[in-house]
Each structure stands twice: as C-alpha cells, then as structure tokens.
Amino acid sequence: MKQKLFIALFILSLIGPPVSFMLVKDFIDTENYENRTLASFPRLAWDNVEQIPGEFEAFLNDHAPYKNFFVNLNTRLETRFFGAASVAPITVGTDNWLFYTVDAEGEDALSDYQHVNLYTTDEQEEIAGKIQGVVEEMAEQGICFYVFEAPNKERIYGKYMPKSIRVYGPKSRLDAIIPELQNKGLPVYDLADSLRKYAEDYQVFCKYDTHWNLVGSFLASQQISQVVFGNSVPLEEITIVPGDETSGDMASMLNMVNEFHDDVSFSIEGYLPEITAEKAEPSEHEGITVFHSDSPNEQTLLVIADSFGEALMPFLPKLYQTAVFSTFTSYTPELFSWYDVDDVIYLNVERNQRYFERIPEVVNGTYAGIAGEEESAAGVQN
C-alpha cells in the first residue's frame, strides 16, 4: 500500500505543476525578467536529433511552471541567509547593493575585485605593444586615439561587498597595468580616478544596475575632457536634480524589481548651456548614434565603447560639432571613411578586458569574437 501511495505521489508531483500552471498562468507573474531571449522548443528533425536533448533541457529550464515564484523565493532566502544569490552572476552586498560578479569567457569581475588575475610582465608588454601600434597607426592618419577604462562598481563601492569575499593584495590588474602603460607614454586612463574623488559625497553608480548613474558618467566625461582638451567643468558648477525611484538590470535578473526599486535617478542641468547638441536622424546602421552640435570645436569624435559609452551621450557631443557613438558589436572600420574622424575614445568597463586586450583586432574589424556576440547583462545595455 505504501509503495502504491509513493508511486501515486511521484506521478502527481510530475503532472500536478504543469496541469495546475495551465489553469493559473494568466493570473501569476510569468514575465521574462532576464536580459535574453528564452530558449524555444527544439526543432524535431533527423538532422537535429543530437541537439534535441540539450535544447529540450534548456527549454524546460526556461519555461518551468512557477519559475518566477521559485526563483524569487530562492533569491529571498539566499539574500537573507547567505548574502549572495546564485540565480544569476550577482552578489548581494550590504544595504542590498547589487554587484555583477560575472565569471564567464572574457569576463571575470570577481577576480578583478579580489586582485587575483593580475597581468604578468609578458602580458603587460604584449598589451603595451598592441596599444602602441594602434596609436601610431592612427597618428599617421592625423587621428588622436585614447583608451579609457571604466571601473567595475565594486572597485568604487567595495565597502558594500560581503566581508566574506576576500581581497588579496593592494592592486587590481588595472591599478597595476595602467601606470605602467602611462610610463611608456601611452594614452591609457583609468576613469576610477574621477569617480573615487566624489564617491563618498555623491552616489556615482546605480545601486541595482550594472552601470554608473548620470553623476558618474558626468564625472567620467569631464576626466575625458581634461585629458583631451586640458579643461573640464567641475561637478560643483552643474546642478544635480534627483528624480524618481528606480530599479535596475540586476534586480530584473533576480526577479526582484518589486523589492529592489528604491534607488534614485538623477538628471544634470547647467552643463555648457551655451552649446546645443542634437541627435541626428536615426542611422541606417544599427548601433550607430550620431550627434551634431554648435560647438566651436569643428572636429569629429568617434566613441567605440561597450554599454558604458551610452551614458556619455548627454555630455561628450557638446565638445565636438560631430560625435559618433558605436557599440563594439556595431563597430566597423568603415566609420573612418564615413566620417572625417579626428579623435577616438575607446572605452570598455573593467570586466570586459577582452576588448582591452585585443584593441588592434577590434579597431581593424578582425576580432572574430565580436561577430554575433551578445552584450552581457551589462550590455547595451556592457
């Protein structure tokens, strides 16, 4: 009798959730909060027979009954008792600060934070040689080429990271390599410098998002201006206007937008009010954004960046009469012939070091890893 009861309960556990889910799915949360397209049902054909098991498992994982409920419950429990959530590559710090500690091909943010992935001397020399080659090649064409590194959030707000995650050594790989590159005369700059100066008095990163907020991006834009032009607008000379409460991409990945939404958005007023910059008509090339302004500087800027470049759009176009923004995935060397480029800003966030380590391949359009490569959860978003 007990055996039959166990069999009946086992069968019920298999068919109960799908059947009940069909009855209530219109009344519960089934929204896709992930920054990707969910897996589709496998194609049933002989030429696809070897892929069917894996594709079906992916489909089942993405469309499991009551998925959002159990993901949310799991996140709540892990956040409460362990301070970290395993449902996505996210670490939950103190005061519910969220950090994108991804560990994937070409990205290892947790190792960045722990300082355990420093470049070797040979790797530093190789990167220096690659950047030197691009800088010289651009100079031959009359183009100034600058490299800027945006910091991961945890490098600025490490005080909110769980104490259980240890940091080894005083320097991250960017802390170590950028001064060495600068000593060689290379135009490579760490945007953490401008953010650290104000990070205690102002919030410069979004609490629940992978990106800096508008205050952080303004500070970054002015460090860029100082490097390129020798002048900038101090933060004290503009007006920071708090906006509505907001959430972010990491809260979405945790299915906790309803719980994590008390961050504050900002707008910036009073920045170079005498100059007007306007976005041109939508480009026929996806991922390319062009601005024109009445700036006295008649030159053209090309920004090649990951998603952190998008937040610079309210500021950098006021410094040039033409400013062209391209994501890494939309970039093409033809931009140099389409526009008479004078300056290039090459920008990637700290964790996206595949773009930093392969600058010549990216600029020449030969980096095969970019073709078809999706932006990560920080995506353009990175």
Side-chain angles (χ1 to χ4, degrees), residues 172-202:
S172 70
R173 60 178 171 179
L174 287 189
D175 291 330
I177 191 175
I178 289 181
E180 293 298 323
L181 296 175
Q182 291 177 341
N183 288 339
K184 297 178 183 293
L186 297 175
V188 183
Y189 305 91
D190 188 357
L191 291 171
D193 295 343
S194 56
L195 273 65
R196 283 172 174 149
K197 181 180 178 180
Y198 290 95
E200 290 298 319
D201 297 325
Y202 298 86

Side-chain angles (χ1 to χ4, degrees), residues 22 45 57 67 78 95 113-114 138 166 211 247:
M22 294 298 294
E57 181 179 2
K67 174 186 174 182
E78 289 197 341
D95 197 24
Y113 175 70
Q114 294 187 293
M138 290 289 174
R166 294 184 58 187
H211 296 90
S247 186

Side-chain angles (χ1 to χ4, degrees), residues 54-330:
E55 291 178 358
F56 181 77
E57 181 179 2
F59 170 80
L60 189 61
N61 289 337
D62 279 355
H63 300 273
Y66 305 105
K67 174 186 174 182
N68 284 356
F69 170 79
F70 286 110
V71 167
N72 187 284
L73 178 62
N74 178 75
T75 301
R76 284 172 174 268
L77 292 174
E78 289 197 341
T79 300
R80 182 176 181 85
F81 294 108
F82 303 107
S86 60
V87 68
I90 294 170
T91 296
V92 182
T94 58
D95 197 24
N96 288 336
W97 273 73
L98 303 183
F99 298 93
Y100 188 59
T101 48
V102 62
D103 180 6
E105 183 68 27
E107 297 181 89
D108 193 350
L110 190 57
S111 292
D112 289 332
Y113 175 70
Q114 294 187 293
H115 303 170
V116 295
N117 60 351
L118 273 64
Y119 291 115
T120 65
T121 301
D122 289 343
E123 288 171 336
Q124 287 189 10
E125 290 297 324
E126 181 181 2
I127 291 171
K130 288 181 176 182
I131 296 175
Q132 182 70 49
V134 173
V135 170
E136 292 177 352
E137 182 181 345
M138 290 289 174
E140 291 175 359
Q141 304 173 56
I143 299 171
C144 294
F145 188 88
Y146 305 90
V147 178
F148 290 91
E149 292 288 294
N152 295 336
K153 186 200 300 187
E154 51 272 20
R155 192 149 66 100
I156 303 300
Y157 287 116
K159 65 180 182 179
Y160 293 113
M161 284 284 283
K163 301 301 182 185
S164 58
I165 301 179
R166 294 184 58 187
V167 175
Y168 302 88
K171 293 183 178 181
S172 70
R173 60 178 171 179
L174 287 189
D175 291 330
I177 191 175
I178 289 181
E180 293 298 323
L181 296 175
Q182 291 177 341
N183 288 339
K184 297 178 183 293
L186 297 175
V188 183
Y189 305 91
D190 188 357
L191 291 171
D193 295 343
S194 56
L195 273 65
R196 283 172 174 149
K197 181 180 178 180
Y198 290 95
E200 290 298 319
D201 297 325
Y202 298 86
Q203 184 178 321
V204 300
F205 263 89
C206 300
K207 184 176 179 180
Y208 303 127
D209 199 276
T210 53
H211 296 90
W212 47 28
N213 60 22
L214 209 59
V215 177
S217 63
F218 172 80
L219 292 169
S221 74
Q222 295 315 292
Q223 183 176 343
I224 293 172
S225 177
Q226 189 66 41
V227 167
V228 177
F229 299 107
N231 58 71
S232 58
V233 176
L235 186 65
E236 293 78 11
E237 293 186 11
I238 55 93
T239 301
I240 302 171
V241 182
D244 297 330
E245 288 191 346
T246 184
S247 186
D249 56 5
M250 286 188 287
S252 294
M253 285 187 275
L254 292 174
N255 289 346
M256 296 190 71
V257 172
N258 293 332
E259 292 81 1
F260 295 159
H261 59 79
D262 60 340
D263 199 8
V264 178
S265 61
F266 299 97
S267 60
I268 301 292
E269 296 180 356
Y271 173 63
L272 300 182
E274 70 278 9
I275 299 176
T276 300
E278 296 181 349
K279 186 184 297 187
E281 291 296 321
S283 171
E284 60 183 26
H285 306 285
E286 186 176 357
I288 307 297
T289 305
V290 181
F291 292 85
H292 297 296
S293 83
D294 54 4
S295 169
N297 178 15
E298 298 179 353
Q299 294 185 319
T300 295
L301 169 69
L302 171 61
V303 178
I304 308 170
D306 55 23
S307 55
F308 276 68
E310 184 176 0
L312 300 175
M313 291 182 182
F315 311 114
L316 293 186
K318 287 194 172 189
L319 304 178
Y320 294 82
Q321 287 193 357
T322 302
V324 182
F325 288 77
S326 169
T327 65
F328 285 120
T329 51
S330 62

